[in-house]
Amino acid sequence: MKKDKKLIAPSILSADFSNLSKQIRYIEIGGADWIHCDIMDGKFVPNLTFGPLVVKSLKRISNLPLDVHLMIERPENLIDDFISAGADFITVHQEAVVHLHRVINYIKSKNVSAGVSINPSTPLCLVENILEYVDMILIMSVNPGFGGQNFIDSSIKKIETLSEMRETKGLDFYIQVDGGISRTNIKTISNAGCNVFVAGSSIFTSDNISASTAELKNIVN
Ligand code: DX5
Ligand code: ZN
């Protein structure tokens, strides 16, 4: 069951892009489960990162599932491009989509897993009616746009509430948490009900990328 899993998804936002294939090898050695790809358009969030071309190159160099987090306006316009590039998960922001149910169903119709993300200020009630359709809910524990920020502590209550909602409704989707996760708080986040842990700076800016990946994985499993 998805809800029983404890997976590590390093975010390459903090990786050394001049040595990306080596950096991917390091997280693979450390036991990473997915590769988290932060796509930013400079409009939905105040930062600009990369697009389908980088996702396509990652598909060539790794067998790890590609977890594409779309922090962009009108994500429906680029879903096909990221699917063609090899995305295994596509997560859109509730705040960026007018017809969320339609977009989720479209992603799933292409045999790609569909996720919905909510920002720290967005209440869970805004995704309650689509919980039965998604493969994953991503709770942002920082304001999206940058790595290296501090974990927003009120996220813990949000994770616990979502986990309770999942149980009460008899559903099975991943709860993913993204932002400010490190060895000091990952156990608390796991106990709250998180299944997929996105960590960027605590992995890629550490002295040993493989060891820090393995350490996070050992703490939650
Ligand atoms: C922020 C991104 C996160 C970020 C996590 O907008 O969605 O994935 O890269 O980075 P850390 O772990 O450094 O907070
Ligand atoms: Zn992310």
Side-chain angles (χ1 to χ4, degrees):
M1 308 279 277
K2 293 184 177 80
K3 64 186 178 182
D4 302 322
K5 299 256 197 262
K6 299 292 182 184
L7 306 173
I8 304 296
S11 158
I12 60 171
L13 184 66
S14 299
D16 171 6
F17 273 74
S18 68
N19 280 302
L20 195 53
S21 57
K22 215 179 264 180
Q23 303 260 293
I24 296 299
R25 211 55 69 226
Y26 293 150
I27 60 171
E28 288 177 338
I29 291 165
D33 296 287
W34 301 354
I35 300 173
H36 186 80
C37 303
D38 284 315
I39 312 301
M40 303 180 187
D41 63 0
K43 290 181 238 170
F44 182 72
V45 291
N47 196 358
L48 184 63
T49 56
F50 54 87
L53 279 180
V54 173
V55 173
K56 194 173 178 185
S57 60
L58 288 170
K59 200 71 184 180
R60 276 203 304 273
I61 63 169
S62 178
N63 294 322
L64 292 182
L66 301 180
D67 169 30
V68 174
H69 177 192
L70 297 180
M71 288 165 276
I72 64 176
E73 288 182 351
R74 303 186 62 74
E76 59 274 19
N77 293 343
L78 283 173
I79 284 170
D80 286 335
D81 298 82
F82 282 103
I83 291 175
S84 308
D88 297 283
F89 288 82
I90 290 185
T91 296
V92 297
H93 268 261
Q94 181 280 331
E95 305 89 353
V97 176
V98 176
H99 301 292
L100 194 51
H101 178 272
R102 177 183 291 148
V103 169
I104 291 163
N105 281 342
Y106 180 75
I107 294 167
K108 294 179 67 154
S109 73
K110 301 291 181 182
N111 295 317
V112 172
S113 296
V116 174
S117 180
I118 50 175
N119 288 331
S121 57
T122 303
L124 285 168
C125 62
L126 290 183
V127 293
E128 186 162 6
N129 293 348
I130 50 99
L131 291 180
E132 63 190 280
Y133 302 103
V134 298
D135 297 296
M136 182 158 71
I137 293 289
L138 166 47
I139 291 180
M140 290 306 296
S141 42
V142 294
N143 289 298
F146 302 93
Q149 301 178 79
N150 292 330
F151 182 86
I152 297 173
D153 291 335
S154 59
S155 310
I156 294 295
K157 184 70 191 125
K158 206 168 181 181
I159 299 161
E160 288 169 345
T161 307
L162 179 59
S163 183
E164 286 156 17
M165 287 166 78
R166 178 173 62 183
E167 279 311 304
T168 311
K169 294 172 181 285
L171 298 174
D172 183 36
F173 53 83
Y174 290 114
I175 295 177
Q176 184 179 52
V177 178
D178 183 1
I181 296 180
S182 70
R183 52 203 291 271
T184 61
N185 61 13
I186 193 168
K187 189 64 183 164
T188 306
I189 298 165
S190 179
N191 292 341
C194 178
N195 307 111
V196 186
F197 306 83
V198 177
S201 50
S202 65
I203 287 177
F204 287 107
T205 65
S206 69
D207 297 337
N208 185 322
I209 292 173
S210 302
S212 51
T213 304
E215 183 184 23
L216 293 182
K217 188 157 181 165
N218 293 336
I219 293 171
V220 295
N221 283 287

